[in-house]
Amino acid sequence: MSSIVLRDAVEADLDTITEIYADAVIHGTATYELEPPTRAEMDARFATLQGGGFPYIVAETPDGICGYAYAGPFRPRPAYRFIVEDSIYMAPAAKGQGVGALLLKELIARCEALGFRQLVAVIGDGRPESPSVRLHEKLGFRHSGKLDGSGYKHGRWLDTVFMQLAMNGGADRGPDAESWPERRFGGE
């Protein structure tokens, strides 16, 4: 691929982001959605993450956006405030070109800078040979669980794999009062 710039996603990127995600919904098994969301729905999802201060980035070449990644809340309960879930989607032509690794590395760095302690990947069709599983393993994520036959898409049962990366000391030390999750959601 030609030169790649990683930058914050902006509203003007949402047409392309919506197209990339629609392809993943229609042809892939990384997401368990069966119908692609509308642009309006993607706008709402983007606004929620952006408004919440979560990282949302795109990979851009001179030809346009070729992938995107974001981190969002793992679960809505406040005790989960130090854990976020990653999502990464690539345009078909960008798959296997190393762009996903660039996006995930940047996402990890941004999540660490905000003070999160755990980054979780919830991978649909989590077979060991899955490109997403291999990418997360390569960047230090460990396997932390599996739900057998938890999704049904494209005529087959799919397993969901959970992978996890500890950051900023993980669970080995107490919360940092100055971290973004603690300031935003408050402690005990």
Side-chain angles (χ1 to χ4, degrees), residues 60-134:
E60 187 172 34
T61 69
D63 296 326
I65 295 169
C66 60
Y68 70 98
Y70 61 85
F74 175 67
R75 296 288 180 266
R77 306 288 188 259
Y80 285 115
R81 67 190 173 276
F82 290 101
I83 184 171
V84 285
E85 180 180 339
D86 74 40
S87 293
I88 306 165
Y89 292 96
M90 306 304 306
K95 291 179 180 178
Q97 304 295 313
V99 180
L102 293 174
L103 282 165
L104 185 53
K105 286 177 187 175
E106 178 67 16
L107 193 63
I108 291 167
R110 291 182 183 212
C111 289
E112 282 181 319
L114 288 168
F116 289 106
R117 295 298 183 88
Q118 305 287 335
L119 183 57
V120 171
V122 181
I123 302 171
D125 195 13
R127 295 172 292 163
E129 68 274 11
S130 157
S132 187
V133 168
R134 289 196 322 262

Side-chain angles (χ1 to χ4, degrees), residues 20-101:
I20 290 170
Y21 188 65
D23 181 77
V25 170
I26 293 167
H27 301 290
T29 53
T31 174
Y32 286 2
E33 289 198 70
L34 300 176
E35 297 293 329
T38 64
R39 166 61 195 266
E41 174 59 25
M42 293 296 283
D43 285 349
R45 293 177 187 187
F46 176 74
T48 297
L49 290 168
Q50 188 179 51
F54 294 96
Y56 200 128
I57 56 179
V58 296
E60 187 172 34
T61 69
D63 296 326
I65 295 169
C66 60
Y68 70 98
Y70 61 85
F74 175 67
R75 296 288 180 266
R77 306 288 188 259
Y80 285 115
R81 67 190 173 276
F82 290 101
I83 184 171
V84 285
E85 180 180 339
D86 74 40
S87 293
I88 306 165
Y89 292 96
M90 306 304 306
K95 291 179 180 178
Q97 304 295 313
V99 180

